[in-house]
Amino acid sequence: MKIIISGGGSGGHIFPAVAIANAVKARWIDAEILFVGAEGRMEMEKVPAAGYQIVGLPIAGLQRKLTPENIVKNLQLPFRIMKSRNMVKNVILDFNPDIVVGVGGFASEPTLKTAAVMGYKTLLQEQNSYAGLTNKILARKAEKICVAYEGMERFFPKEKIVFTGNPVRADIEQMNVSSIEGRAYFGLEPEGRVLLSVGGSLGARSINEMIINHLHFFRENKIQLLWQTGRWMYDQAVAAVNRAQVGQWVKVHQFISRMDMAYAAADIVVSRAGAIAISELCLVGKPVVLIPSPNVAEDHQTKNALALVDRGAAVMVKDADCNSQGLAAVKDIFDAPERQDAMCAAIAKMAVRNAANKIVDQIDNLVYGPAKKAAAKLPDELQQLENLKNL
């Protein structure tokens, strides 16, 4: 089995890609896997750290804020796309994969489009409840489209859709960490209330600013905060905590690698509404306040969040309102134990397990299915021949 997996740009694309790769290796120990990502993006660091080879393309996304600098970047984009397609054509020819899998992100468009034109099998993994333009286009040539939400026939041909759920990190899916262990790991007091704030692997400015502006909230309400800031605001967050003298209540981390410990430690979670974050939160089964990012294509995070809100599984606060309403929403949930229990039950019902293996089942069928069908027919054909001889 030889597979190219393409995509990235954020943890929401990288973590499922690695989960799929790990599931492939578990099924075919001698499988060869090559990742294709975007130069300068976090997959170029995270994928090798997971033990896989990656090739970087000079691809970038469309800049929606039209500053002079971004206008120049947008003018360069067609040349980047052409160069990326030429590069990935050679990569595909050299590697000669059995199938090419796209998980979203800048690099998936030139990789899957080129692979399809060259006649290679392609499979899409659509993580969100609202499909983006790129995946709608790539779906035309894809053999299968693995989705995590119902009703995706609005965007894709129904006969190609397979409901698999979103792959998540193994330590989350198999989480067996206690609250006491999680709190001890981060130096939190074992008793009392704990809020976990995560803004995605790259951080979330509005969520971080909400916390910086209301650090007194945690001391006044005796709530411990486990806070992942992301790279860009970590130093600012540490300085603010020191100024406010709330280090007893607020634990600041640039990036949390042991998210199983973090989820176990928390009573309530504040999070962006990326597809993978939501899939993890459903498996964890904790009350969550979702603050969708407004800086994503087709506002898909709001649509992801509403899929939970409509089932009573989460509370949503608009990004523009989070400074004034975000922590008030958290306090309302903390002050209503019965509501916490109801939210836990509702979100747990939405959990989908073994998504990576379900996707690998589709890969298996696409690559080996025809041969397996032929092998299954062979005994019947041999028997027919034997019957003819006996005649």
Side-chain angles (χ1 to χ4, degrees), residues 76-89:
Q76 293 172 341
L77 187 56
F79 301 99
R80 286 178 172 269
I81 292 172
M82 289 173 61
K83 186 176 180 181
S84 294
R85 286 181 181 167
N86 286 331
M87 281 183 63
V88 83
K89 180 180 179 180

Side-chain angles (χ1 to χ4, degrees), residues 4 6 37 104 110 161 200 227-228 255 278 288 298 309 338 362 371 373:
I4 288 178
S6 184
I161 295 172
W227 182 12
Q228 177 179 282
F255 181 78
I278 284 181
V288 59
E298 287 94 13
V309 172
E338 290 182 1
Q362 296 304 311
K373 288 177 183 176

Side-chain angles (χ1 to χ4, degrees), residues 221-242:
N221 291 282
K222 294 183 171 54
I223 294 171
Q224 299 178 86
L225 173 66
L226 181 55
W227 182 12
Q228 177 179 282
T229 63
R231 182 190 307 170
W232 309 115
M233 293 187 70
Y234 174 73
D235 292 339
Q236 184 180 346
V238 170
V241 168
N242 290 337

Side-chain angles (χ1 to χ4, degrees), residues 69-133:
E69 181 184 0
N70 286 345
I71 290 171
V72 172
K73 289 180 179 179
N74 286 341
L75 290 172
Q76 293 172 341
L77 187 56
F79 301 99
R80 286 178 172 269
I81 292 172
M82 289 173 61
K83 186 176 180 181
S84 294
R85 286 181 181 167
N86 286 331
M87 281 183 63
V88 83
K89 180 180 179 180
N90 292 327
V91 169
I92 292 169
L93 284 172
D94 288 343
F95 190 73
N96 192 28
D98 294 299
I99 192 167
V100 179
V101 177
V103 296
F106 302 144
S108 64
E109 191 276 341
T111 305
L112 267 78
K113 198 162 193 175
T114 302
V117 168
M118 294 171 69
Y120 287 87
K121 293 183 176 73
T122 62
L123 176 144
L124 284 179
Q125 197 262 320
E126 172 56 64
Q127 298 152 12
N128 294 292
S129 61
Y130 192 92
L133 179 61

Side-chain angles (χ1 to χ4, degrees), residues 44-57:
M44 302 306 294
E45 175 188 345
K46 298 295 183 183
V47 169
Y52 296 103
Q53 182 184 356
I54 186 167
V55 174
L57 303 179

